[in-house]
Every structure is written in C-alpha cells, then in structure tokens.
Amino acid sequence: MAPRLLYIHAPKCGGTSFGSAVRLAYCNSQATIDLKTSGRIREAMYPEASGAEKVLREQEIRKVMLGELLARGVQCVSAHVLYHRDLHETLDPDRKLVTLLRDPVARFLSHYAYVQRTHPNKDRPDTLAEFLDSEMAQRYGSIYLLFFAGTYQHTTNDLSAALQKAQDNLTKFDLIGDLSRTGEFRAGLKSLIGRPLITWERNKRPDQKPSRNRDVPEELRARIEEICAPDISLFRHAKSLPAYA
C-alpha cells in the first residue's frame, strides 16, 4: 500500500499541479481543505479581522479541519495548510510529509503578479515599488516562515526562534522539492508513494503579465531580497537537508 501522505502546499510554488496529480493517485482516499469553506467560517467567527490577523485566524480554522482529516485516516491530504507538528506527531506520526518550494524572490513576484491579476483591490498599491512598502509585502516575504513556523516575520516577537522552529520542522519532511528541479521532485514523489503520477499543469500564469523575475530593476530586487530574507534563509536550509530532491 502507498503510505499516508500530507502534501503541504505553499502558495505559488507549483503545488496545484503536483497536488492534484498526487490526489488523483490516491483517488480512493484523498482530500483537500477548501479555501472558501474556511473563509466563510473565519468571516463568521472573526468578522473584523484584517491583514495578517485575518490569515492567521483562518489558519487556526484550517488546523482543526486538517486534524479531522488526519484523525479519520484519509490517505492523502494536499492543501494550503501550515505544518503542525502537534497534529502530526499525536494523530499520525507515520504519515509521510511532502512539500514543494521555489526561489523566494521568484515566489514573491509570482504571488504579487497573481493577486494583481486575479484579485484586484483599490486599496493595494498600484506599482511593485509601492507594494514593497506595504504590510502585505512583509507577509509575502515570509510565507515559508508562516507555513513551517506558524508566524510572519512582522507578527513574531522572536524572529530567530521562529526561524529555528521552521528549520526544525523542515527536518521532519520526507521529500522537499524545488520548482526549478521538477523532474527530480516528480521522481522522488513517485518513489515515495509507489504509484504513477500524471503530468498536469494548473494555475500557470499567462506569459504576457509583468513582474517576471528577470524584468525587475536591480534596486527593487535588492529590496525584495531584504523583505524575503527569512524565506531565503529557510530555502537555503531546505536545500541542505537529505529530503531535498
């Protein structure tokens, strides 16, 4: 039998395509955690929440939803959900852990382009340069910190401790992919689950939209690297681990 699997899907890391493929491989027992459902619950419970608090409150709800799936023994769970060591070690310590990461600056730019394209907001700065001064930019620069330590860089009182927690949690993973090495990640995933995977591309950004990595002026790139410093540190650490494919 294929091992029970938890696929932690960090935003804009190519996880939609791989997550869909791996759920299909576990078609008889698989689940995700619906964003619309957790969003509706969060709106009912915390209607005044905004910014980082809004995200963190919703992730509290998604943790309970994840715990229910793990407790039921669903074979494969693939979702935009944080890693929670307490759930993993208490409910299903033998469940295999997988995630796919990418260069943090490229991920930041992809995330920015995605929300500009699909979620227009009059309150969001119109240009990338202005966006870099926003609270949302602080969030986008510490997505890995959020997913593996449960906090953003600007919502923690101890960034060093949060980074250490994220590093420790990443050591629990059985496979860590890199979007620049999808062939190696696919091979590692197939080996881990012992099942074939279809090739599937979803949520691919149209080529005509701006903010590609290579198009960013050097002065803005330096600012983005500074904002992404926590995630750059974690990405380097992930690449040093035995689980890195």
Side-chain angles (χ1 to χ4, degrees), residues 5-9 15-16 19-20 22-24 26 29-38 62 65-70 72 74-81 95 202:
L5 190 76
L6 174 58
Y7 190 122
I8 301 291
H9 178 186
T16 300
S20 298
V22 79
R23 285 175 59 205
L24 187 60
Y26 283 84
S29 180
Q30 56 79 28
T32 189
I33 299 175
D34 183 60
L35 287 166
K36 291 183 179 179
T37 300
S38 60
R62 294 177 72 77
M65 298 169 78
L66 173 64
E68 189 269 339
L69 294 172
L70 298 184
R72 283 202 288 118
V74 174
Q75 287 289 105
C76 173
V77 179
S78 173
H80 285 302
V81 67
R95 184 175 291 263
R202 299 183 62 194

Side-chain angles (χ1 to χ4, degrees), residues 213-230:
N213 203 357
R214 64 177 179 269
D215 296 335
V216 178
E218 284 303 315
E219 62 272 19
L220 293 187
R221 180 181 299 278
R223 291 179 62 194
I224 295 170
E225 290 175 351
E226 182 178 357
I227 293 168
C228 292

Side-chain angles (χ1 to χ4, degrees), residues 33-90:
I33 299 175
D34 183 60
L35 287 166
K36 291 183 179 179
T37 300
S38 60
R40 289 178 62 196
I41 295 170
R42 187 258 311 147
E43 288 173 3
M45 295 178 66
Y46 308 106
E48 303 302 320
S50 63
E53 182 193 3
K54 179 178 176 180
V55 177
L56 295 171
R57 289 295 193 185
E58 186 161 339
Q59 286 296 343
E60 291 174 4
I61 294 162
R62 294 177 72 77
K63 177 179 181 179
V64 176
M65 298 169 78
L66 173 64
E68 189 269 339
L69 294 172
L70 298 184
R72 283 202 288 118
V74 174
Q75 287 289 105
C76 173
V77 179
S78 173
H80 285 302
V81 67
L82 314 188
Y83 173 64
H84 298 285
R85 184 180 284 209
D86 52 353
L87 293 184
H88 181 215
E89 295 185 343
T90 302

